[in-house]
Amino acid sequence: MRDDLDDEFGEYSHEEILQALVQHLLTSDELDQLCDDADLPQLTDADGQPVHITSARTYQDAGVLTLDRGVWLELSDGSVFGLTVQISRRPTTEVTLRRR
């Protein structure tokens, strides 16, 4: 099983897993619900309608020209954001991946 996980996440497992987690979190619920859950104000557009995420894709899937890992977000109000996952320090010991 470990070989399957190594193939899926490769050498950059931390970045890949965090990228997948951010993408999942931002597509698993409506943006207004996520704001409520985090006790944050909701984003609304010029008409007072809640802003929602229309697309959340990895940088690679979105065609972003970078070697960084991250999630490309497109919102219903026309705004676009890139959330980059950047490693500042690698672990000092071997990391093992396991499925739950």
Side-chain angles (χ1 to χ4, degrees), residues 22-33:
V22 168
Q23 183 180 15
H24 172 76
L25 287 171
L26 293 174
T27 55
S28 64
D29 211 342
E30 291 295 324
L31 187 56
D32 58 340
Q33 184 60 51

Side-chain angles (χ1 to χ4, degrees), residues 16 18 22 34-36 41 43 49 64 78 83 87 96:
E16 297 287 339
L18 290 171
V22 168
L34 292 170
C35 288
D36 284 348
L43 294 172
Q49 297 298 314
V64 177
L83 302 177
I87 192 161
T96 305

Side-chain angles (χ1 to χ4, degrees), residues 70-84:
V71 178
W72 192 252
L73 297 174
E74 297 175 11
L75 304 182
S76 60
D77 64 356
S79 57
V80 178
F81 296 89
L83 302 177
T84 301

Side-chain angles (χ1 to χ4, degrees), residues 39-86:
D39 199 26
L40 296 170
Q42 295 178 359
L43 294 172
T44 56
D45 62 19
D47 297 329
Q49 297 298 314
V51 172
H52 60 276
I53 297 170
T54 58
S55 177
R57 299 176 288 163
T58 65
Y59 281 176
Q60 182 178 9
D61 291 344
V64 177
L65 298 177
T66 181
L67 296 176
D68 291 334
R69 303 304 193 278
V71 178
W72 192 252
L73 297 174
E74 297 175 11
L75 304 182
S76 60
D77 64 356
S79 57
V80 178
F81 296 89
L83 302 177
T84 301
V85 177
Q86 185 176 20

